[in-house]
Structure formats: structure tokens, C-alpha cells
Amino acid sequence: MENTALNQQGESVDEISSITLRYISSVRFVIPTKSILELERKIYTWLKIGTTGACIWGRARIGKSYSVQYIAKSIQQKLGENFPVVIWNITDHPATERNFYASLLMAMGLACPKRDTALFLKERVLNELIIRASDTPYREVVIFIDEAWKLGEPDFSWLMDLYNNLKCKDIHIISFLFGTRELKNLKNELKIRGKDQIVGRFMVCEEQFFGICTKQELSFCLTAFDKLHVRTLNFSETDKMVREFYFPHADGRTFYDLTDEYWEAFQKTRAAHNILATDIPMKYFIDSFIICLDMYGALSFDPVCFPGIGELMESIKLSGYGESDDEYERRKRK
């Protein structure tokens, strides 16, 4: 994206700030954390060996949905823009065959008229996947299924039917299931009930996803903000750095320099609220950073030259991190 001069399109500095903060919170801005990069490597390995499915789970707000966006884009950059990648966000829905195919069609960016029958929708899904997969030399389709723990046994049956139909056309479908611990519990439940075909087809590979686990990982995230430019209309990149825009009197200090204080602020908050989970969810880190820019940056009512541990503690508090404990971890340690 080409740099544009700051404020060349007439936005006020307040508007530019709002656009920048919105950009930071959007899926357009993803910091490739250690967990994301490790998962990316494993997914490429699973693709190479012809795995049919895998489940990736972790506690809420640690960045799983953002990892889906990052890895989906990475796959198309590496294997070609035409390589079919579908991101399917599962919502609460009655488990009917029509709803299953209608939801998948919408995830593929296609319209779904209410009058169409389940059989007609199934044919549309199959035809579209065949066309997309045949347009590449790999003859593969990757489906990222977010909130996959909401899938029921009938959904897996219909997904397996898609797999079998495509296999007859020499097209391989790979399903990556993402979710919270409920997804891990679903896998265990299916195993107990003897549903080995579902587990073996879609969950044989498994990976636990984490947030920020170490001070070094936190420093990497802060370095990403040091390299970030202010955004303007349509999220166009300007020639102004975020650090310079919000803290023009930082006297050479960088966000990376905040690593020790930021880590200490999170650990103090964790201890004060008796949070047992050791990793920091990306949601609360990103939110706390946005709050810090908004509350203590040059455009705020209480600007500082550069934030210290006091400002960071308050930003973390307002992010809601104090309420982020993993109930499973608490029960496990009783």
C-alpha cells in the first residue's frame, strides 16, 4: 500500500486517530505471534502429508480467529491467489441439511435464495468447490471452520458426505476446526461414543493455541507497533508512524522499550485478580494498547510524553484482562 501524506484528504487529526485505532483492532492488522507462526508451519505440514482435518483449540480471546485470517492469506500467497480457501464461521442454528449447505454457501460468498431445497444447495456447494479446486494444480480445498464446537453429529455427517463426493472427483478437502475448549471436549465426547470415523476424518491432528506466553513474545508484538504507520481514509497508510503521531515528545523512546514495564503491568494485574492462566490473550493486549494511545496520547485529555507502568496498568485494567481467567484452569488446580 502506498504511503499518503498525513491529512492530505482533509480528515481532522481526531478522525485520523479514530481510523488508526479501528485499523489496529481489525482483522486487517494481525501480528504474527509465535503461536500463529508455529500453527502456520504445522498447517503447511498437514497440507503436504494429505491430512483430512485437524482441530485447533484454546481459551477465548487469545487470537485464534485472527490466526485463521493470517494463515488463510499466507496459503494463498504461497500456493496462488486462486487456491480455494473458505473461512466458515459457525453460528447457533437448527441442525438441518438445508441450513448446513446454506451456511457454507454464504461462507463461500454466494447467495442463498430461501426457495432452494437442501439437495439443490448441496449440488451448488459441490459444483462450486469442484470449479474452484480444478482451477489450481493442487485440486484441493481448505476450509477453516471457526467456532467448530457448535457443529453437531449431523453436521459432521454432511461434511463427510462432501468429502466423499469430492474424493470421487479426485479433489481433496481439508477441514481445520477452530474453537475453545468446548472443541476439545467435543472430540473427547465423540471418541467416548465410538465416533471414530468423525474423529479420524476431521480431528486426528490436534494443536492447542496460546496467547502471549513470554516477555520475549510481548517485545515482538511491541516491535510490530514501532513499525506501524498511521492510517487514514480506507485504511491507507500515511508517512507518519503511530509512535510519532501519539507520542511526539517521546525523546527517542520506542514501544519496544516498554517491554519490561508492560510485562510487569500484566503480571501485577494477573496476581491482583488471581488469574491462573499464564498466557496473555491477544485481545486484551491489543485493547490495552489502543486504550493507552487513546487515553495518554497527544490527542487525549491527559497526554503524557511517553507511557509508564502507571498508564499501562490503567490501560490493562480498562481492557478487561482482570476478568479473563480460564475457568478450566481454576477447576484443574483445585
Side-chain angles (χ1 to χ4, degrees), residues 29-40:
F29 177 68
V30 180
I31 299 174
T33 61
K34 179 182 177 182
S35 289
I36 289 179
L37 295 176
E38 287 181 349
L39 178 59
E40 180 187 27

Side-chain angles (χ1 to χ4, degrees), residues 89-95 99 147 149-150:
N89 296 298
I90 303 298
T91 58
D92 292 314
H93 62 278
N99 284 345
E147 301 292 341
W149 61 272
K150 295 180 181 179

Side-chain angles (χ1 to χ4, degrees), residues 253-299:
R253 286 172 288 182
T254 66
F255 293 131
Y256 173 82
D257 295 331
L258 291 174
T259 298
D260 290 338
E261 290 173 297
Y262 223 133
W263 183 257
E264 182 183 354
F266 267 113
Q267 297 311 309
K268 283 185 174 181
T269 304
R270 179 179 169 229
H273 292 270
N274 194 27
I275 297 173
L276 298 180
T278 56
D279 61 328
I280 301 167
M282 279 298 291
K283 166 69 175 174
Y284 298 112
F285 167 66
I286 295 292
D287 284 359
S288 70
F289 191 85
I290 291 173
I291 291 167
C292 186
L293 296 181
D294 188 53
M295 286 186 59
Y296 304 109
L299 303 179

